[in-house]
Amino acid sequence: MNRDRSDDVVLAVPRGRIAREVIPLLAGIGIEPEPAFRDPDSRRLAFRTSVDGLSLIRVRSFDAATFVAFGGADLGVVGYDVLLEFDYDDLYLPLDLGIGRCRLAVAEPAEVASSDDPRRWSHVRIATKYPATTRRHFAARGVQAECVKLNGALELAPQLGLCRRIVDLVDTGSTLRANGLVEVEKIADISSRLVVNRTAMKLRPRLLNALVDRFRKAIDGAPD
Ligand code: PRP
């Protein structure tokens, strides 16, 4: 870790749908980000909070784990999907925050699914942001998964002939429906986790344990 350790404690928060759920969680434990954090037009990436010595950074969901793993942030809110895919050793995973709930699932066009049985697959070609998790999931039952890595708009891949199937996060299912796809197999239930950099935890145990405890009490519904 190269940061000056006299710096603020830095919490990495993913942008997008998880950020919307993180704001009330933070408010519940007395952490109010400065107003620019809620401003969708703000181009700022780092924000002060109402807690002295604690700042936030807003990053892409895949990058929240990377910032914490490399010590750029001390702790972060990270989707379990990202943890499954990258398997970082340097992260201590103290809490399931119970937000960002969805599932990682296999989907295919409705017309294919009507006569398809996933138990008979021996080789599949799949578009996904999660090639390692996908390959591991299928390898466990002897199916070879050839993955086409995309970073978004996966739902287009079947209609444009890249592959017949995708592995992606599914929440309400409306993105799949809007693109003529149906879910055929769940890989994992997903929620967001609080992760802490292991070295930071050794260097600043009192401060970081106190923060982790505040999150723990909030999700247990106990008084602070
Ligand atoms: C995720 C995911 C799907 C969509 C599923 O994308 O990749 O596209 O949400 O949600 P639904 O089942 O409620 O329709 P997200 O909106 O997080 O954006 P991303 O593509 O940038 O990851």
Side-chain angles (χ1 to χ4, degrees):
M1 244 189 290
N2 299 321
R3 270 191 315 130
D4 173 357
R5 300 313 304 172
S6 67
D7 285 350
D8 278 4
V9 167
V10 176
L11 170 66
V13 175
R15 58 179 77 219
R17 69 175 73 199
I18 297 177
R20 288 192 288 280
E21 293 185 66
V22 167
I23 289 173
L25 181 67
L26 293 178
I29 56 177
I31 301 172
E32 284 290 346
E34 62 178 309
F37 185 76
R38 295 166 188 259
D39 175 0
D41 295 329
S42 171
R43 304 296 298 165
R44 292 210 4 229
L45 301 170
F47 307 88
R48 290 183 304 276
T49 72
S50 57
V51 175
D52 225 13
L54 175 69
S55 60
L56 303 184
I57 58 170
R58 184 163 55 193
V59 296
R60 285 174 188 264
S61 63
F62 271 51
D63 294 339
T66 310
F67 273 100
V68 180
F70 286 88
D74 299 281
L75 67 176
V77 175
V78 176
Y80 186 54
D81 53 316
V82 177
L83 298 171
L84 278 177
E85 183 67 14
F86 292 106
D87 196 20
Y88 284 113
D89 285 341
D90 294 332
L91 298 181
Y92 165 57
L93 274 58
L95 283 182
D96 183 343
L97 296 171
I99 60 172
R101 286 189 192 279
C102 57
R103 53 202 181 275
L104 187 66
V106 187
E108 61 186 13
E111 65 274 15
V112 174
S114 58
S115 58
D116 193 20
D117 180 356
R119 287 169 303 182
R120 299 180 64 182
W121 297 348
S122 59
H123 173 270
V124 282
R125 191 172 155 92
I126 289 191
T128 185
K129 277 202 278 195
Y130 305 94
T133 310
T134 300
R135 278 194 287 268
R136 200 165 58 233
H137 169 76
F138 284 107
R141 64 169 199 260
V143 177
Q144 189 196 351
E146 183 191 341
C147 293
V148 178
K149 173 81 164 55
L150 290 176
N151 295 310
L154 305 175
E155 294 82 1
L156 286 172
Q159 28 179 310
L160 296 180
L162 271 69
C163 55
R164 289 164 88 185
R165 300 170 181 107
I166 67 168
V167 164
D168 197 8
L169 296 180
V170 182
D171 178 12
T172 61
S174 54
T175 309
L176 291 183
R177 277 193 296 280
N179 291 284
L181 302 172
V182 293
E183 188 177 341
V184 290
E185 189 174 320
K186 182 172 80 174
I187 294 180
D189 287 310
I190 303 296
S191 57
S192 295
R193 311 295 160 104
L194 185 67
V195 303
V196 184
N197 177 281
R198 286 186 185 280
T199 309
M201 193 57 127
K202 282 182 198 137
L203 293 172
R204 312 172 96 176
R206 204 177 52 80
L207 209 52
L208 289 172
N209 275 315
L211 270 172
V212 170
D213 274 352
R214 283 166 85 153
F215 278 97
R216 181 174 288 120
K217 283 179 183 158
I219 59 176
D220 288 348
D224 198 23

